[in-house]
Amino acid sequence: MAYTKYSLTPSSNTAAPPDGAPEGMLPSAVNDTMRDMMSQIRDCGDGIRDGTYTMTAAKITGGSITGVTFTSIVVTGGSITGLSSALPVASGGTGVTTSTGTVNVVLSTSPTITTPVITGFTETVVAIGTVGASHTFTITTGTVQTATLTASTPCTFTMPTATAGKSFILKLTQAASGMTTATFTGVKFAGGTAPTITATASAVDLISFIADGTSWFGSAIQNLS
């Protein structure tokens, strides 16, 4: 039998031997009960002293435990103090030597957590280079793009898909000899009129585009020569 069948109230231990010691039991039954109790005491003592012992519903209300190695601890209240080394946290972490209150850590992986420091943000610049009679924008590699017009060759710029929330800026430089024009397909400008590219040689126009999921909208800051 298991010692857990014994009652903490002496007078209640009246079950049949060896589970109890009823009044008037035979001498042989006394022997059996005593031997059973000896076995249970030895088993419990070995586990507490230097063996492996599993307690299914242990409850400690005071005092201290020394020389015991725990493989899993669930703390629902109170505190843990006096640890000689850090208490590890499952699935990562460096552990602690003092823990008060409820500890409940559940991680599916072992992450490495660092403290990000953001000192500034630099957008990727896409240098399109000199464009000819046509160019189709691709903004997957950067949303600041630069292009230079070719002398005497008007350029037609084709927009990418108008995905909602997408935006980019075009720095457009006039040809060194000036006078080249450009058009943008599928872009709505203020008043329904597209800006006329600054004709001055090497002048710079900045044109911003933003999409709403259906159309591209544009605005220009011009003649930054």
Side-chain angles (χ1 to χ4, degrees), residues 1-9 12-13 15 18-20 36-37 39-41 43-44 53-58:
M1 66 155 291
Y3 72 92
T4 52
K5 289 186 177 181
Y6 294 138
S7 172
L8 294 175
T9 303
S12 296
N13 290 310
D19 292 351
D36 183 77
M37 294 179 65
S39 173
Q40 299 299 324
I41 293 171
D43 179 53
C44 184
Y53 200 78
T54 300
M55 293 182 286
T56 58

Side-chain angles (χ1 to χ4, degrees), residues 89-183:
V89 178
S91 300
T94 57
V96 294
T97 55
T98 301
S99 177
T100 301
T102 299
V103 178
N104 185 14
V105 179
V106 179
L107 297 175
S108 59
T109 59
S110 299
T112 298
I113 301 175
T114 58
T115 302
V117 177
I118 301 175
T119 58
F121 179 75
T122 302
E123 179 57 87
T124 299
V125 177
V126 178
I128 298 172
T130 301
V131 293
S134 64
H135 176 77
T136 299
F137 289 115
T138 300
I139 60 175
T140 56
T141 55
T143 55
V144 175
Q145 306 203 4
T146 64
T148 301
L149 296 171
T150 300
S152 303
T153 305
C155 182
T156 298
F157 289 97
T158 301
M159 306 300 290
T161 302
T163 304
K166 293 291 186 180
S167 64
F168 70 102
I169 297 173
L170 172 65
K171 175 189 175 187
L172 184 61
T173 303
Q174 179 61 263
S177 58
M179 302 304 293
T180 303
T181 62
T183 57

Side-chain angles (χ1 to χ4, degrees), residues 75-83 87 97-103:
V75 181
T76 58
S79 63
I80 300 175
T81 60
L83 297 177
L87 182 66
T97 55
T98 301
S99 177
T100 301
T102 299
V103 178

Side-chain angles (χ1 to χ4, degrees), residues 22-106:
E23 294 291 338
M25 65 180 180
L26 297 175
S28 59
V30 174
N31 294 340
D32 292 342
T33 302
M34 291 180 61
R35 290 166 183 168
D36 183 77
M37 294 179 65
M38 291 176 182
S39 173
Q40 299 299 324
I41 293 171
R42 172 62 187 271
D43 179 53
C44 184
D46 285 350
I48 295 175
R49 184 175 64 254
D50 57 8
T52 300
Y53 200 78
T54 300
M55 293 182 286
T56 58
K59 183 177 180 180
I60 302 172
T61 59
S64 61
I65 300 176
T66 60
V68 179
T69 300
F70 293 96
T71 57
S72 178
I73 302 175
V74 177
V75 181
T76 58
S79 63
I80 300 175
T81 60
L83 297 177
S84 60
S85 59
L87 182 66
V89 178
S91 300
T94 57
V96 294
T97 55
T98 301
S99 177
T100 301
T102 299
V103 178
N104 185 14
V105 179
V106 179

